[in-house]
Amino acid sequence: MADISDELIRLECFAEEERARLAGLTGDEYDEQWRRWRTASEAVQAAITAHAEATGASRYEVEQAVKCAVRQAQEDPAVE
């Protein structure tokens, strides 16, 4: 697994929170929230790419490690 930073995990968590906020929205509210999610998603993708390039790691492996770390943190009952 690729070595990942807390910043990458924080960015992915924020993007997932923004995505979750889309639920139940319609019209202009949906469009506005979708833009927030897209901006957050673009930020995490750019950070993953930069991290992979800086460390020589596979971009795919870095992304998967970030997603796995976020999922594990969300499943931890101590987090909630």
Side-chain angles (χ1 to χ4, degrees), residues 12-38:
E12 178 67 16
C13 284
F14 181 70
E16 281 299 304
E17 290 167 3
E18 291 298 313
R19 182 194 56 77
R21 289 185 181 114
L22 286 167
L25 298 178
T26 58
D28 290 341
E29 288 178 331
Y30 179 89
D31 293 342
E32 186 178 328
Q33 184 58 39
W34 185 86
R35 283 189 290 277
R36 286 189 199 117
W37 172 49
R38 181 175 175 186

Side-chain angles (χ1 to χ4, degrees), residues 72-80:
Q72 287 177 349
Q74 290 174 343
E75 292 173 2
D76 182 358
V79 173
E80 297 181 328

Side-chain angles (χ1 to χ4, degrees), residues 42-78:
E42 289 171 348
V44 73
Q45 293 298 318
I48 287 169
T49 299
H51 180 81
E53 289 174 354
T55 62
S58 159
R59 193 207 170 285
Y60 173 80
E61 288 178 9
V62 172
E63 182 175 7
Q64 293 308 304
V66 170
K67 290 183 182 297
C68 182
V70 169
R71 277 189 221 111
Q72 287 177 349
Q74 290 174 343
E75 292 173 2
D76 182 358

